[in-house]
Amino acid sequence: MDSYLLSRAEQIGQLLLAEKIPALAAHQDYIRHGALLGLVPDYREMGTNAASIIIQHQQGTDFDAIGSMQIKNPRVIINQQTLERLDLKITEVNAGNVQAVQ
């Protein structure tokens, strides 16, 4: 995630809303400021996974042998206000990791 763009999340969100663009985001700040929804990782889980990789490497395992980190429990976050402003409806939600924000 680009820190400059993240610092502009509120401005980007306002522009998306003004133009009525339904946007998908990968960080909760964008969703909080107007993006319609996002698939957001659990940052605590990511930190734990990163620490595990470092420990394995410090114990002698080559990074190539460790492999890449997989996000196992992402959350779907839906901005309810944006949903209403865009006059959209979600009729059914089947996921346990769905969260609504205002």
PDB file of all heavy atoms in Angstrom, residues 65-90:
ATOM      1  N   ALA A  65      12.842 -21.617   0.274  1.00  0.00           N
ATOM      2  CA  ALA A  65      12.237 -22.837   0.805  1.00  0.00           C
ATOM      3  C   ALA A  65      11.031 -22.540   1.699  1.00  0.00           C
ATOM      4  O   ALA A  65      10.192 -23.412   1.920  1.00  0.00           O
ATOM      5  CB  ALA A  65      13.271 -23.634   1.597  1.00  0.00           C
ATOM      6  N   ILE A  66      10.932 -21.317   2.193  1.00  0.00           N
ATOM      7  CA  ILE A  66       9.830 -20.957   3.094  1.00  0.00           C
ATOM      8  C   ILE A  66       8.542 -20.708   2.315  1.00  0.00           C
ATOM      9  O   ILE A  66       7.462 -21.093   2.736  1.00  0.00           O
ATOM     10  CB  ILE A  66      10.195 -19.713   3.937  1.00  0.00           C
ATOM     11  CG1 ILE A  66      11.373 -20.048   4.860  1.00  0.00           C
ATOM     12  CG2 ILE A  66       9.002 -19.250   4.762  1.00  0.00           C
ATOM     13  CD1 ILE A  66      11.948 -18.847   5.584  1.00  0.00           C
ATOM     14  N   GLY A  67       8.649 -20.078   1.168  1.00  0.00           N
ATOM     15  CA  GLY A  67       7.464 -19.795   0.368  1.00  0.00           C
ATOM     16  C   GLY A  67       6.826 -18.470   0.737  1.00  0.00           C
ATOM     17  O   GLY A  67       7.304 -17.752   1.613  1.00  0.00           O
ATOM     18  N   SER A  68       5.739 -18.178   0.095  1.00  0.00           N
ATOM     19  CA  SER A  68       5.086 -16.890   0.319  1.00  0.00           C
ATOM     20  C   SER A  68       4.014 -16.993   1.394  1.00  0.00           C
ATOM     21  O   SER A  68       3.506 -18.065   1.698  1.00  0.00           O
ATOM     22  CB  SER A  68       4.480 -16.374  -0.984  1.00  0.00           C
ATOM     23  OG  SER A  68       3.499 -17.277  -1.441  1.00  0.00           O
ATOM     24  N   MET A  69       3.669 -15.847   1.923  1.00  0.00           N
ATOM     25  CA  MET A  69       2.663 -15.756   2.966  1.00  0.00           C
ATOM     26  C   MET A  69       1.278 -15.699   2.326  1.00  0.00           C
ATOM     27  O   MET A  69       1.081 -15.013   1.326  1.00  0.00           O
ATOM     28  CB  MET A  69       2.932 -14.484   3.773  1.00  0.00           C
ATOM     29  CG  MET A  69       1.952 -14.203   4.852  1.00  0.00           C
ATOM     30  SD  MET A  69       2.420 -12.791   5.909  1.00  0.00           S
ATOM     31  CE  MET A  69       2.765 -11.502   4.749  1.00  0.00           C
ATOM     32  N   GLN A  70       0.347 -16.429   2.888  1.00  0.00           N
ATOM     33  CA  GLN A  70      -1.031 -16.405   2.387  1.00  0.00           C
ATOM     34  C   GLN A  70      -1.940 -15.779   3.437  1.00  0.00           C
ATOM     35  O   GLN A  70      -1.826 -16.059   4.626  1.00  0.00           O
ATOM     36  CB  GLN A  70      -1.514 -17.812   2.071  1.00  0.00           C
ATOM     37  CG  GLN A  70      -0.765 -18.453   0.933  1.00  0.00           C
ATOM     38  CD  GLN A  70      -1.316 -19.828   0.590  1.00  0.00           C
ATOM     39  OE1 GLN A  70      -2.235 -20.316   1.226  1.00  0.00           O
ATOM     40  NE2 GLN A  70      -0.745 -20.434  -0.420  1.00  0.00           N
ATOM     41  N   ILE A  71      -2.840 -14.932   2.981  1.00  0.00           N
ATOM     42  CA  ILE A  71      -3.811 -14.306   3.876  1.00  0.00           C
ATOM     43  C   ILE A  71      -4.989 -15.266   4.006  1.00  0.00           C
ATOM     44  O   ILE A  71      -5.673 -15.562   3.035  1.00  0.00           O
ATOM     45  CB  ILE A  71      -4.259 -12.947   3.328  1.00  0.00           C
ATOM     46  CG1 ILE A  71      -3.050 -12.025   3.210  1.00  0.00           C
ATOM     47  CG2 ILE A  71      -5.335 -12.333   4.211  1.00  0.00           C
ATOM     48  CD1 ILE A  71      -3.324 -10.754   2.465  1.00  0.00           C
ATOM     49  N   LYS A  72      -5.226 -15.741   5.227  1.00  0.00           N
ATOM     50  CA  LYS A  72      -6.230 -16.782   5.430  1.00  0.00           C
ATOM     51  C   LYS A  72      -7.592 -16.255   5.847  1.00  0.00           C
ATOM     52  O   LYS A  72      -8.601 -16.870   5.566  1.00  0.00           O
ATOM     53  CB  LYS A  72      -5.730 -17.766   6.484  1.00  0.00           C
ATOM     54  CG  LYS A  72      -4.489 -18.503   6.053  1.00  0.00           C
ATOM     55  CD  LYS A  72      -3.989 -19.423   7.138  1.00  0.00           C
ATOM     56  CE  LYS A  72      -2.685 -20.073   6.697  1.00  0.00           C
ATOM     57  NZ  LYS A  72      -1.984 -20.701   7.782  1.00  0.00           N
ATOM     58  N   ASN A  73      -7.637 -15.148   6.537  1.00  0.00           N
ATOM     59  CA  ASN A  73      -8.913 -14.669   7.077  1.00  0.00           C
ATOM     60  C   ASN A  73      -9.187 -13.209   6.735  1.00  0.00           C
ATOM     61  O   ASN A  73      -9.356 -12.377   7.628  1.00  0.00           O
ATOM     62  CB  ASN A  73      -8.925 -14.838   8.606  1.00  0.00           C
ATOM     63  CG  ASN A  73      -8.829 -16.290   9.017  1.00  0.00           C
ATOM     64  OD1 ASN A  73      -9.611 -17.099   8.549  1.00  0.00           O
ATOM     65  ND2 ASN A  73      -7.887 -16.619   9.865  1.00  0.00           N
ATOM     66  N   PRO A  74      -9.258 -12.869   5.451  1.00  0.00           N
ATOM     67  CA  PRO A  74      -9.557 -11.469   5.119  1.00  0.00           C
ATOM     68  C   PRO A  74     -11.003 -11.123   5.495  1.00  0.00           C
ATOM     69  O   PRO A  74     -11.856 -11.998   5.584  1.00  0.00           O
ATOM     70  CB  PRO A  74      -9.363 -11.409   3.606  1.00  0.00           C
ATOM     71  CG  PRO A  74      -9.637 -12.793   3.151  1.00  0.00           C
ATOM     72  CD  PRO A  74      -9.158 -13.695   4.252  1.00  0.00           C
ATOM     73  N   ARG A  75     -11.227  -9.849   5.764  1.00  0.00           N
ATOM     74  CA  ARG A  75     -12.575  -9.374   6.074  1.00  0.00           C
ATOM     75  C   ARG A  75     -13.129  -8.651   4.856  1.00  0.00           C
ATOM     76  O   ARG A  75     -12.416  -7.947   4.168  1.00  0.00           O
ATOM     77  CB  ARG A  75     -12.548  -8.393   7.247  1.00  0.00           C
ATOM     78  CG  ARG A  75     -12.168  -9.027   8.560  1.00  0.00           C
ATOM     79  CD  ARG A  75     -12.039  -7.987   9.652  1.00  0.00           C
ATOM     80  NE  ARG A  75     -10.886  -7.138   9.339  1.00  0.00           N
ATOM     81  CZ  ARG A  75     -10.807  -5.844   9.604  1.00  0.00           C
ATOM     82  NH1 ARG A  75     -11.800  -5.226  10.182  1.00  0.00           N
ATOM     83  NH2 ARG A  75      -9.739  -5.143   9.295  1.00  0.00           N
ATOM     84  N   VAL A  76     -14.404  -8.813   4.632  1.00  0.00           N
ATOM     85  CA  VAL A  76     -15.114  -8.010   3.640  1.00  0.00           C
ATOM     86  C   VAL A  76     -15.751  -6.871   4.428  1.00  0.00           C
ATOM     87  O   VAL A  76     -16.521  -7.101   5.352  1.00  0.00           O
ATOM     88  CB  VAL A  76     -16.210  -8.820   2.915  1.00  0.00           C
ATOM     89  CG1 VAL A  76     -17.011  -7.921   1.988  1.00  0.00           C
ATOM     90  CG2 VAL A  76     -15.588  -9.983   2.159  1.00  0.00           C
ATOM     91  N   ILE A  77     -15.384  -5.636   4.071  1.00  0.00           N
ATOM     92  CA  ILE A  77     -15.931  -4.467   4.753  1.00  0.00           C
ATOM     93  C   ILE A  77     -16.782  -3.701   3.748  1.00  0.00           C
ATOM     94  O   ILE A  77     -16.344  -3.422   2.637  1.00  0.00           O
ATOM     95  CB  ILE A  77     -14.820  -3.567   5.323  1.00  0.00           C
ATOM     96  CG1 ILE A  77     -13.943  -4.362   6.301  1.00  0.00           C
ATOM     97  CG2 ILE A  77     -15.428  -2.348   6.014  1.00  0.00           C
ATOM     98  CD1 ILE A  77     -12.779  -3.580   6.854  1.00  0.00           C
ATOM     99  N   ILE A  78     -18.003  -3.377   4.149  1.00  0.00           N
ATOM    100  CA  ILE A  78     -18.948  -2.670   3.289  1.00  0.00           C
ATOM    101  C   ILE A  78     -19.270  -1.323   3.930  1.00  0.00           C
ATOM    102  O   ILE A  78     -19.623  -1.259   5.106  1.00  0.00           O
ATOM    103  CB  ILE A  78     -20.246  -3.478   3.114  1.00  0.00           C
ATOM    104  CG1 ILE A  78     -19.944  -4.848   2.521  1.00  0.00           C
ATOM    105  CG2 ILE A  78     -21.250  -2.715   2.260  1.00  0.00           C
ATOM    106  CD1 ILE A  78     -21.096  -5.822   2.592  1.00  0.00           C
ATOM    107  N   ASN A  79     -19.157  -0.263   3.152  1.00  0.00           N
ATOM    108  CA  ASN A  79     -19.519   1.063   3.634  1.00  0.00           C
ATOM    109  C   ASN A  79     -21.016   1.262   3.393  1.00  0.00           C
ATOM    110  O   ASN A  79     -21.454   1.437   2.256  1.00  0.00           O
ATOM    111  CB  ASN A  79     -18.705   2.143   2.919  1.00  0.00           C
ATOM    112  CG  ASN A  79     -18.961   3.523   3.482  1.00  0.00           C
ATOM    113  OD1 ASN A  79     -20.101   3.895   3.721  1.00  0.00           O
ATOM    114  ND2 ASN A  79     -17.903   4.282   3.686  1.00  0.00           N
ATOM    115  N   GLN A  80     -21.801   1.220   4.472  1.00  0.00           N
ATOM    116  CA  GLN A  80     -23.259   1.304   4.376  1.00  0.00           C
ATOM    117  C   GLN A  80     -23.713   2.631   3.771  1.00  0.00           C
ATOM    118  O   GLN A  80     -24.649   2.668   2.981  1.00  0.00           O
ATOM    119  CB  GLN A  80     -23.886   1.131   5.755  1.00  0.00           C
ATOM    120  CG  GLN A  80     -23.807  -0.273   6.306  1.00  0.00           C
ATOM    121  CD  GLN A  80     -24.657  -1.236   5.516  1.00  0.00           C
ATOM    122  OE1 GLN A  80     -24.158  -2.231   5.034  1.00  0.00           O
ATOM    123  NE2 GLN A  80     -25.942  -0.963   5.375  1.00  0.00           N
ATOM    124  N   GLN A  81     -23.062   3.741   4.164  1.00  0.00           N
ATOM    125  CA  GLN A  81     -23.465   5.049   3.633  1.00  0.00           C
ATOM    126  C   GLN A  81     -23.229   5.124   2.130  1.00  0.00           C
ATOM    127  O   GLN A  81     -24.056   5.646   1.388  1.00  0.00           O
ATOM    128  CB  GLN A  81     -22.714   6.164   4.346  1.00  0.00           C
ATOM    129  CG  GLN A  81     -23.168   6.347   5.774  1.00  0.00           C
ATOM    130  CD  GLN A  81     -22.408   7.452   6.484  1.00  0.00           C
ATOM    131  OE1 GLN A  81     -21.310   7.830   6.089  1.00  0.00           O
ATOM    132  NE2 GLN A  81     -23.001   7.978   7.548  1.00  0.00           N
ATOM    133  N   THR A  82     -22.105   4.605   1.672  1.00  0.00           N
ATOM    134  CA  THR A  82     -21.822   4.607   0.235  1.00  0.00           C
ATOM    135  C   THR A  82     -22.827   3.728  -0.490  1.00  0.00           C
ATOM    136  O   THR A  82     -23.326   4.093  -1.560  1.00  0.00           O
ATOM    137  CB  THR A  82     -20.379   4.132  -0.038  1.00  0.00           C
ATOM    138  OG1 THR A  82     -19.472   5.017   0.627  1.00  0.00           O
ATOM    139  CG2 THR A  82     -20.071   4.109  -1.513  1.00  0.00           C
ATOM    140  N   LEU A  83     -23.133   2.596   0.085  1.00  0.00           N
ATOM    141  CA  LEU A  83     -24.124   1.692  -0.501  1.00  0.00           C
ATOM    142  C   LEU A  83     -25.446   2.432  -0.725  1.00  0.00           C
ATOM    143  O   LEU A  83     -26.039   2.355  -1.798  1.00  0.00           O
ATOM    144  CB  LEU A  83     -24.315   0.492   0.431  1.00  0.00           C
ATOM    145  CG  LEU A  83     -25.080  -0.703  -0.077  1.00  0.00           C
ATOM    146  CD1 LEU A  83     -24.301  -1.410  -1.178  1.00  0.00           C
ATOM    147  CD2 LEU A  83     -25.343  -1.670   1.069  1.00  0.00           C
ATOM    148  N   GLU A  84     -25.877   3.184   0.287  1.00  0.00           N
ATOM    149  CA  GLU A  84     -27.131   3.934   0.185  1.00  0.00           C
ATOM    150  C   GLU A  84     -27.016   5.090  -0.806  1.00  0.00           C
ATOM    151  O   GLU A  84     -27.935   5.326  -1.594  1.00  0.00           O
ATOM    152  CB  GLU A  84     -27.529   4.445   1.570  1.00  0.00           C
ATOM    153  CG  GLU A  84     -27.945   3.322   2.505  1.00  0.00           C
ATOM    154  CD  GLU A  84     -28.051   3.747   3.963  1.00  0.00           C
ATOM    155  OE1 GLU A  84     -28.020   4.969   4.242  1.00  0.00           O
ATOM    156  OE2 GLU A  84     -28.161   2.851   4.820  1.00  0.00           O
ATOM    157  N   ARG A  85     -25.889   5.824  -0.784  1.00  0.00           N
ATOM    158  CA  ARG A  85     -25.725   6.960  -1.707  1.00  0.00           C
ATOM    159  C   ARG A  85     -25.700   6.529  -3.159  1.00  0.00           C
ATOM    160  O   ARG A  85     -26.118   7.261  -4.047  1.00  0.00           O
ATOM    161  CB  ARG A  85     -24.439   7.731  -1.380  1.00  0.00           C
ATOM    162  CG  ARG A  85     -24.613   8.673  -0.214  1.00  0.00           C
ATOM    163  CD  ARG A  85     -23.408   9.509   0.008  1.00  0.00           C
ATOM    164  NE  ARG A  85     -23.324  10.592  -0.974  1.00  0.00           N
ATOM    165  CZ  ARG A  85     -22.413  11.542  -0.906  1.00  0.00           C
ATOM    166  NH1 ARG A  85     -21.527  11.551   0.073  1.00  0.00           N
ATOM    167  NH2 ARG A  85     -22.376  12.487  -1.825  1.00  0.00           N
ATOM    168  N   LEU A  86     -25.194   5.333  -3.404  1.00  0.00           N
ATOM    169  CA  LEU A  86     -25.151   4.816  -4.770  1.00  0.00           C
ATOM    170  C   LEU A  86     -26.447   4.100  -5.140  1.00  0.00           C
ATOM    171  O   LEU A  86     -26.580   3.586  -6.243  1.00  0.00           O
ATOM    172  CB  LEU A  86     -23.957   3.870  -4.949  1.00  0.00           C
ATOM    173  CG  LEU A  86     -22.571   4.497  -4.771  1.00  0.00           C
ATOM    174  CD1 LEU A  86     -21.494   3.435  -4.887  1.00  0.00           C
ATOM    175  CD2 LEU A  86     -22.337   5.608  -5.780  1.00  0.00           C
ATOM    176  N   ASP A  87     -27.377   4.057  -4.197  1.00  0.00           N
ATOM    177  CA  ASP A  87     -28.669   3.401  -4.380  1.00  0.00           C
ATOM    178  C   ASP A  87     -28.487   1.937  -4.791  1.00  0.00           C
ATOM    179  O   ASP A  87     -29.127   1.442  -5.712  1.00  0.00           O
ATOM    180  CB  ASP A  87     -29.528   4.155  -5.403  1.00  0.00           C
ATOM    181  CG  ASP A  87     -30.993   3.756  -5.311  1.00  0.00           C
ATOM    182  OD1 ASP A  87     -31.438   3.384  -4.206  1.00  0.00           O
ATOM    183  OD2 ASP A  87     -31.677   3.802  -6.343  1.00  0.00           O
ATOM    184  N   LEU A  88     -27.589   1.264  -4.068  1.00  0.00           N
ATOM    185  CA  LEU A  88     -27.333  -0.156  -4.300  1.00  0.00           C
ATOM    186  C   LEU A  88     -27.852  -0.959  -3.122  1.00  0.00           C
ATOM    187  O   LEU A  88     -27.985  -0.443  -2.011  1.00  0.00           O
ATOM    188  CB  LEU A  88     -25.834  -0.404  -4.475  1.00  0.00           C
ATOM    189  CG  LEU A  88     -25.169   0.282  -5.657  1.00  0.00           C
ATOM    190  CD1 LEU A  88     -23.660   0.103  -5.592  1.00  0.00           C
ATOM    191  CD2 LEU A  88     -25.708  -0.264  -6.962  1.00  0.00           C
ATOM    192  N   LYS A  89     -28.114  -2.214  -3.361  1.00  0.00           N
ATOM    193  CA  LYS A  89     -28.580  -3.098  -2.300  1.00  0.00           C
ATOM    194  C   LYS A  89     -27.794  -4.398  -2.344  1.00  0.00           C
ATOM    195  O   LYS A  89     -27.494  -4.913  -3.409  1.00  0.00           O
ATOM    196  CB  LYS A  89     -30.067  -3.385  -2.455  1.00  0.00           C
ATOM    197  CG  LYS A  89     -30.928  -2.156  -2.256  1.00  0.00           C
ATOM    198  CD  LYS A  89     -32.385  -2.500  -2.378  1.00  0.00           C
ATOM    199  CE  LYS A  89     -33.313  -1.347  -2.194  1.00  0.00           C
ATOM    200  NZ  LYS A  89     -32.847  -0.021  -2.389  1.00  0.00           N
ATOM    201  N   ILE A  90     -27.483  -4.899  -1.179  1.00  0.00           N
ATOM    202  CA  ILE A  90     -26.900  -6.230  -1.061  1.00  0.00           C
ATOM    203  C   ILE A  90     -27.985  -7.093  -0.451  1.00  0.00           C
ATOM    204  O   ILE A  90     -28.444  -6.833   0.657  1.00  0.00           O
ATOM    205  CB  ILE A  90     -25.629  -6.226  -0.193  1.00  0.00           C
ATOM    206  CG1 ILE A  90     -24.552  -5.377  -0.862  1.00  0.00           C
ATOM    207  CG2 ILE A  90     -25.144  -7.652   0.051  1.00  0.00           C
ATOM    208  CD1 ILE A  90     -23.279  -5.240  -0.064  1.00  0.00           C
TER     209      ILE A  90
END
